[in-house]
């Protein structure tokens, strides 16, 4: 009368409960890579995570039906859809990458805090709920740990639009008793989330909002294009001055998300690290220019076409210096992956982080693989080594996890990566895609603490 085994997934671990033996086994999901195979062939890029998340939250503004295409099949999208469902939206998956969202009967202030805390992008509910209901009540957002990640600029923006903001008891409450009124906002720091949140909040406000010192990332342009397709009047997205003329109402639409430049960049670096040759399709090469330029400086061949880039290892990698910056600079979300590639270059490279206080937590993991890296504040001094060696390592956050995958692919041996839930938040079937281009990679479930070799 009982099932033989009850299986409960808790995100990072899976618990198997066997009623007959009354024992609870905790299993861990891991990625196991047997490195040393050059990646060759074609790999297709999915929709961009950091565009998809604000666009999904942006559906709230429409009181109508939106069909969103080219969504990446990742845990952060699944979580966003769960959050929207919990707020009364009707969500219907049409296929793996397309979803229909009916926001007619949404109820504000009802997103469960346990879901909201799992994801940084849930802060987009603040702008979206404010625009739709005149009030937002959202748990303080979570996300990867890169040191302090304040939202003071978001709050400054909401206040400039006439809202009152209170942060108390782990929640942020934003209320606009007299409605949203357009204003000029100058951001003290360039913030992707702050720029998008103010766009969401201001779109249905009264009058015109001008955001100065706005972020210029391609996902800002994608959100503006989505909102404009719904009837908004946003101009200047992609420059540092964005103008939003408030409109009374937005309608539904069908919209396809742009390709993920960070997923593409990750595979570009993986090709170089494994001395391989990959054609990466469904990309916008312009978005990849800072990554292409750095690879070329290292001696890697990169050929751009309309919607593809081909990356081929040709000769030993040159040392270079890299500093991450807001777009169009080299992206901070490619910093850990570049850290791995510089480990494989000749000589000493400098890798400086220009966006976050602390994005080098992955260095300790790389050191387990024989990397020679010294971190001094926001700069890592990286001395190239002949080879990285296999080890058991952790994905300490999303992009760090992708970096560990690249490092493992470049070794001559078997590496196990733990805490892969970070990777699965943001990479669409990374295991399947890499296997198709020659990687010996699998995702396994083993009893906690037991290495793969023993469990199998
Ligand atoms: N900042 C402030 N005050 C604010 C907002 C930001 O001081 O109110 C600071 C941050 O502490 C940081 C810098 O400004 O030092 C940039 O932060 P930003 O707001 O641009 O980052 P974010 O919106 O929190 C998004 C992406 C990140 C990506 C950054 C930078 C999403 C959900 N997250 O974060 O993506 O690193 O922009 O491009 O879009 C990832 O995908 O792995 C990831 C971490």
């Amino acid at each position: 009368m009982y099932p033989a085994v009850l299986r409960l997934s808790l995100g990072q671990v899976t618990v198997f409960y066997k009623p007959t033996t009354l024992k609870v086994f905790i299993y861990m999901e891991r990625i196991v890579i047997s490195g040393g195979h050059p990646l060759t062939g074609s790999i297709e890029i999915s929709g961009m995570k950091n565009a998809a998340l604000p666009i999904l939250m942006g559906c709230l503004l429409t009181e109508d039906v939106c069909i969103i295409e080219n969504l990446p099949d990742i845990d952060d999208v699944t979580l966003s859809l769960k959050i929207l469902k919990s707020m009364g939206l009707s969500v219907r998956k049409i296929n793996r990458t397309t979803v229909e969202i009916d926001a007619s009967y949404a109820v504000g202030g009802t997103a469960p805090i346990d879901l909201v805390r799992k994801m940084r992008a849930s802060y987009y509910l603040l702008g979206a709920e404010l625009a739709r209901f005149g009030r937002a009540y959202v748990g303080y957002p979570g996300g990867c740990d890169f040191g302090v990640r304040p939202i003071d600029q978001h709050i400054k923006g909401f206040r400039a639009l006439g809202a009152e903001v209170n942060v108390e008891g782990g929640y942020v409450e934003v209320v606009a008793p007299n409605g949203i009124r357009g204003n000029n906002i100058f951001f003290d720091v360039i913030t992707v989330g702050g720029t998008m949140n103010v766009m969401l909040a201001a779109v249905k406000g009264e009058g015109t909002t001008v955001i100065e010192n706005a972020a210029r990332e391609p996902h800002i342009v994608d959100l503006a294009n989505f909102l404009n397709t719904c009837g908004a009047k946003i101009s200047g997205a992609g420059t540092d001055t964005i103008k939003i003329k408030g409109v009374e109402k937005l309608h539904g639409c069908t919209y396809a998300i742009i390709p993920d430049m960070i997923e593409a960049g990750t595979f570009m670096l993986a090709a170089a690290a494994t001395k391989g040759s990959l054609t990466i399709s469904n990309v916008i090469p312009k978005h990849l220019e800072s990554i292409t330029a750095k690879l070329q400086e290292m001696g890697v061949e990169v050929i751009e076409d309309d919607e593809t880039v081909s990356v081929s290892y040709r000769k030993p990698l040159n040392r270079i210096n890299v500093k991450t910056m807001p777009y169009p600079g080299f992206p901070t979300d490619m910093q850990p992956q570049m850290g791995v590639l510089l480990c494989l270059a000749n000589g000493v490279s400098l890798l400086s982080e220009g966006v976050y206080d602390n994005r080098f937590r992955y260095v300790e993991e790389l050191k387990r693989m024989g990397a020679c890296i010294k971190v001094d504040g926001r700069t890592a001094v990286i001395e190239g080594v002949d080879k990285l060696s296999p080890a058991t390592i952790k994905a300490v956050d999303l992009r760090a996890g992708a970096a560990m995958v690249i490092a493992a692919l470049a070794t001559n041996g078997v590496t196990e990566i733990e805490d892969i839930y970070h990777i699965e938040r943001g990479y669409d079937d990374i295991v399947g895609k890499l296997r198709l281009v020659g990687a010996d990679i699998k995702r396994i479930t083993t009893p906690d603490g037991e290495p793969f070799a023993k469990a199998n």
Side-chain angles (χ1 to χ4, degrees):
M1 89 199 223
Y2 295 106
V5 174
L6 292 176
R7 185 188 155 123
L8 177 66
S9 242
L10 301 173
Q12 43 185 347
V13 295
T14 302
V15 176
F16 288 94
Y17 171 60
K18 289 188 177 175
T20 45
T21 56
L22 291 176
K23 270 190 183 164
V24 173
F25 300 88
I26 296 185
Y27 281 68
M28 294 278 290
E29 272 97 28
R30 301 163 197 230
I31 289 177
V32 179
I33 296 173
S34 180
H37 308 280
L39 300 181
T40 51
S42 290
I43 212 161
E44 194 176 326
I45 297 308
S46 301
M48 187 194 268
K49 168 179 89 80
N50 289 344
L53 304 179
I55 287 174
L56 287 176
M57 299 302 174
C59 292
L60 252 182
L61 269 61
T62 66
E63 298 179 44
D64 201 350
V65 178
C66 292
I67 296 176
I68 309 298
E69 299 170 340
N70 202 33
L71 273 175
D73 192 0
I74 54 173
D75 287 352
D76 271 8
V77 163
T78 308
L79 187 60
S80 300
L81 295 174
K82 254 191 207 166
I83 290 176
L84 292 177
K85 268 189 195 167
S86 73
M87 296 174 66
L89 285 81
S90 138
V91 175
R92 189 169 70 90
K93 256 199 140 168
I94 294 176
N95 58 43
R96 189 173 173 273
T97 58
T98 306
V99 74
E100 183 190 79
I101 298 174
D102 184 347
S104 309
Y105 303 106
V107 185
T110 53
I113 191 154
D114 55 317
L115 299 184
V116 164
R117 280 219 177 113
K118 282 188 183 159
M119 187 177 65
R120 181 91 185 145
S122 46
Y123 56 32
Y124 293 126
L125 281 176
L126 291 170
E129 285 192 28
L130 185 60
R132 169 89 187 250
F133 306 107
R135 175 180 183 258
Y137 187 66
V138 181
Y140 204 89
C144 293
D145 176 9
F146 311 138
V148 189
R149 294 180 76 184
I151 57 165
D152 58 304
Q153 298 302 304
H154 304 230
I155 292 173
K156 170 178 160 167
F158 297 143
R159 287 198 171 126
L161 297 175
E164 291 160 13
V165 185
N166 282 307
V167 184
E168 228 178 87
Y171 280 83
V172 187
E173 187 186 28
V174 189
V175 194
N178 303 314
I180 295 293
R181 291 186 309 272
N183 203 346
N184 285 8
I185 296 156
F186 193 104
F187 280 129
D188 302 333
V189 293
I190 297 178
T191 156
V192 171
T195 302
M196 299 223 231
N197 237 339
V198 168
M199 282 164 68
L200 289 166
V203 130
K204 294 207 293 173
E206 221 185 284
T208 300
T209 295
V210 180
I211 307 174
E212 309 257 25
N213 200 23
R216 291 182 283 165
E217 269 69 3
H219 24 307
I220 306 274
V221 180
D222 211 33
L223 176 64
N225 287 343
F226 162 70
L227 292 171
N228 284 344
T229 310
C230 296
K233 290 194 172 148
I234 302 173
S235 57
T239 75
D240 59 7
T241 305
I242 299 177
K243 204 184 236 187
I244 305 153
K245 282 189 188 161
V247 296
E248 211 165 291
K249 216 170 152 45
L250 295 187
H251 50 76
C253 73
T254 297
Y255 191 81
I257 308 281
I258 53 167
D260 196 316
M261 60 187 238
I262 303 300
E263 188 198 12
T266 301
F267 290 133
M268 289 168 79
L269 268 58
T274 59
K275 304 186 176 172
S277 178
L278 282 182
T279 297
I280 297 163
S281 63
N282 186 33
V283 298
I284 300 173
K286 172 102 190 117
H287 295 168
L288 301 169
E289 271 174 358
S290 63
I291 301 164
T292 298
K294 282 296 163 191
L295 280 175
Q296 287 171 336
E297 205 180 321
M298 293 182 84
V300 179
E301 182 185 279
V302 184
I303 299 171
E304 297 177 357
D305 213 327
D306 284 352
E307 291 182 1
T308 61
V309 285
S310 301
V311 180
S312 303
Y313 176 92
R314 293 284 178 226
K315 56 188 170 91
L317 302 170
N318 305 325
R319 61 149 302 278
I320 56 163
N321 295 337
V322 181
K323 178 165 184 175
T324 68
M325 290 203 286
Y327 190 83
F330 189 87
T332 174
D333 293 344
M334 285 298 300
Q335 188 257 89
Q337 302 90 314
M338 182 50 97
V340 171
L341 198 60
L342 296 179
C343 286
L344 303 169
N346 284 323
V348 177
S349 302
L350 298 182
L351 179 60
S352 306
E353 173 56 46
V355 176
Y356 291 110
D357 286 338
N358 180 9
R359 204 172 188 171
F360 285 117
R361 290 196 309 133
Y362 68 90
V363 163
E364 287 310 310
E365 302 303 308
L366 277 186
K367 282 184 182 170
R368 287 177 211 277
M369 303 179 80
C372 186
I373 307 178
K374 226 174 116 186
V375 177
D376 183 7
R378 282 178 162 215
T379 299
V381 183
I382 303 179
E383 194 176 334
V385 291
D386 285 342
K387 258 278 156 255
L388 289 171
S389 36
T392 296
I393 47 175
K394 280 192 190 335
V396 297
D397 60 56
L398 167 58
R399 308 302 172 187
M404 295 308 117
V405 170
I406 298 176
L409 291 168
T411 67
N412 279 330
V414 179
T415 293
E416 290 180 32
I417 306 175
E418 298 175 344
D419 292 352
I420 61 167
Y421 61 95
H422 284 297
I423 302 176
E424 293 176 345
R425 278 187 41 222
Y427 284 88
D428 184 348
D429 190 21
I430 191 168
V431 169
K433 288 187 185 189
L434 285 170
R435 204 182 285 146
L436 278 180
V437 290
D440 184 343
I441 177 171
K442 56 187 145 195
R443 183 186 189 284
I444 57 153
T445 305
T446 59
D448 187 15
E450 222 164 82
F452 169 63
K454 205 169 153 203
N456 288 271

